[in-house]
Amino acid sequence: MKLCGNILHLEGCCDYKSSKKFKFTSIPSKSQIKIDCSLLEKMDFSFAIFLDECLKNRGVSYELINANPKVLEIFSLIHSRKDFQIQIHKKNLLHRLGEWVCQKWIGFLDFLNFFGLFVFALLRTLFNPKLLRFRSLLYHIHTSGFKALPVGIVTCAIVSGAITLQGVLQLQKMGVPLASVETMAKLSLREMGPFILALVIAGRSASAFTAQIGVMRITEELDAMRVMGFDWYQFNILPRFLALVIAMPLLVFVADGASLFVSAVVIKLQTGITFAQYIERFYENVGIIHFWIGVIKSPFFGAAIALVGCYRGLEIEGNTQSVGKYTTLSVVNALFWIIVVNAIFSVIFTRFNL
């Protein structure tokens, strides 16, 4: 490209790379030029768009001379584009609120669809147990449940020790250090064991379920299963759901033992109450109902974790960025629903004086 007076000469093959060699600042702004295409051999569409935008940004009007029909057609298409006339309107608060409500409503309907298909697959499996993928169930019990046991036990033990220490200090000030035995034991059995363990499993298994199913969606494995006539829920959702529902009560039993042991050690170190006294006081004042309350809640925790993790996995789109987005979202949602389920059970048990 060469600029001679008010005539811009286009020469040879003009593409997007060749446009970078020309300085458009040499063209006076708010001027009028003519573009001579007599020596032009070839022009691509990207160069024409670039030239048109650069000239318009400087307020320069132009006219084509000696142009062949192909070049004229390219510039006619550019001038007929409507995207130059699009005006971006700022969204006000009401508009954004409406969009948010609409998105949440669509998400709720999608979850209802997912949950309905899941319930159908679950009932069909209960009436026909041969449909259950037993090997897959055992695999997920091992990977999602028992492999999380070490970190779950350590977490429950640390939290139990910290809360017991604070509780013992307060009860000592009140002059009733012995009351710390039944108080901390009931708290460990009802809350710290099942609840803290559920939080650990949610962070570990919900994210794993979402990532696994999401990758299957990206690699089109789920579409291949549908083409072959296999049911997603039968192969991917049910084994994960049943695995956590079965494994959670077993894990809670071990987590309760770890919480009680650490609680007894902290009480002994702080108050001098021996293990024999602890066991005797525990036997006299802590009923078996407190253990069962924690066990009863645990399958519901596992169900919430599995459903959230699998649902978010099916929401993942065909790109890797959505894997990180929905994996994070699944952990947050799982933690939220664990807290909600625990609060519901607390209200119910309190209502029945349990």
Side-chain angles (χ1 to χ4, degrees):
M1 290 187 295
K2 292 189 301 184
L3 180 65
C4 299
N6 65 336
I7 299 177
L8 179 63
H9 296 277
L10 301 182
E11 302 175 354
C13 296
C14 290
D15 55 10
Y16 184 76
K17 291 182 179 180
S18 63
S19 64
K20 297 180 179 180
K21 302 177 183 179
F22 183 79
K23 295 182 179 180
F24 286 92
T25 54
S26 59
I27 302 177
S29 59
K30 298 182 180 179
S31 60
Q32 186 174 4
I33 65 171
K34 295 182 179 181
I35 301 178
D36 183 16
C37 303
S38 59
L39 301 177
L40 181 65
E41 298 177 2
K42 187 178 180 182
M43 173 189 291
D44 61 6
F45 196 77
S46 60
F47 173 82
I49 293 177
F50 181 80
L51 177 63
D52 180 79
E53 291 185 351
C54 287
L55 294 176
K56 282 188 174 181
N57 289 337
R58 294 185 58 80
V60 176
S61 60
Y62 63 89
E63 178 187 357
L64 297 175
I65 58 175
N66 301 323
N68 59 44
K70 290 185 178 180
V71 174
L72 292 174
E73 183 181 359
I74 290 175
F75 277 92
S76 64
L77 288 174
I78 293 174
H79 293 156
S80 64
R81 290 189 307 166
K82 297 181 180 180
D83 55 343
F84 286 114
Q85 303 174 358
I86 294 176
Q87 296 181 355
I88 300 175
H89 299 281
K90 292 184 178 180
K91 299 178 181 178
N92 56 28
L93 179 61
L94 188 61
H95 189 182
R96 290 196 297 267
L97 179 61
E99 285 185 342
W100 181 81
V101 172
C102 183
Q103 290 174 0
K104 294 303 178 184
W105 175 250
I106 293 174
F108 176 70
L109 294 179
D110 289 341
F111 179 77
L112 286 182
N113 180 57
F114 164 80
F115 187 72
L117 293 172
F118 163 76
V119 171
F120 173 76
L122 179 62
L123 292 176
R124 188 174 64 171
T125 303
L126 292 177
F127 285 107
N128 188 8
K130 293 181 180 180
L131 297 175
L132 180 63
R133 310 287 298 179
F134 191 68
R135 288 186 178 180
S136 180
L137 174 63
L138 293 180
Y139 171 79
H140 287 295
I141 289 176
H142 174 66
T143 56
S144 303
F146 295 130
K147 275 194 172 183
L149 189 57
V151 65
I153 290 176
V154 172
T155 305
C156 291
I158 293 173
V159 174
S160 178
I163 295 179
T164 300
L165 179 60
Q166 299 300 319
V168 169
L169 291 175
Q170 298 301 319
L171 291 172
Q172 274 186 319
K173 293 178 182 179
M174 298 171 62
V176 283
L178 272 176
S180 61
V181 174
E182 58 265 29
T183 303
M184 295 300 111
K186 290 177 182 178
L187 185 60
S188 296
L189 293 174
R190 297 172 69 107
E191 297 295 337
M192 285 189 291
F195 183 68
I196 300 300
L197 180 68
L199 296 180
V200 174
I201 299 296
R204 189 181 184 278
S205 297
S207 58
F209 290 172
T210 302
Q212 290 167 1
I213 296 177
V215 171
M216 292 178 66
R217 191 172 184 85
I218 291 176
T219 56
E220 300 181 353
E221 292 180 50
L222 296 180
D223 295 333
M225 291 177 64
R226 177 189 291 176
V227 171
M228 291 186 291
F230 296 125
D231 186 6
W232 290 354
Y233 296 84
Q234 205 73 44
F235 281 78
N236 297 319
I237 312 299
L238 277 182
R240 290 175 169 83
F241 173 83
L242 295 176
L244 284 187
V245 170
I246 294 171
M248 282 297 293
L250 305 177
L251 300 179
V252 165
F253 178 79
V254 182
D256 285 346
S259 299
L260 292 174
F261 175 74
V262 174
S263 179
V265 171
V266 172
I267 291 174
K268 182 180 185 304
L269 295 175
Q270 186 64 31
T271 64
I273 297 174
T274 62
F275 289 117
Q277 292 174 316
Y278 179 91
I279 294 173
E280 182 180 358
R281 183 85 177 180
F282 179 87
Y283 181 76
E284 292 176 355
N285 296 280
V286 182
I288 191 66
I289 185 63
H290 301 291
F291 166 75
W292 286 114
I293 285 174
V295 172
I296 289 171
K297 292 192 293 185
S298 58
F300 293 91
F301 291 155
I305 294 168
L307 288 177
V308 170
C310 295
Y311 170 68
R312 291 302 180 187
L314 292 176
E315 277 195 316
I316 289 177
E317 302 169 353
N319 57 76
T320 54
Q321 185 178 4
S322 64
V323 176
K325 173 186 174 181
Y326 285 105
T327 300
T328 304
L329 194 59
S330 70
V331 175
V332 175
N333 293 156
L335 295 177
F336 171 78
W337 284 111
I338 287 171
I339 295 172
V340 171
V341 170
N342 189 61
I344 292 173
F345 274 105
S346 296
V347 172
I348 293 173
F349 291 140
T350 303
R351 184 75 175 176
F352 290 97
N353 296 322
L354 296 176

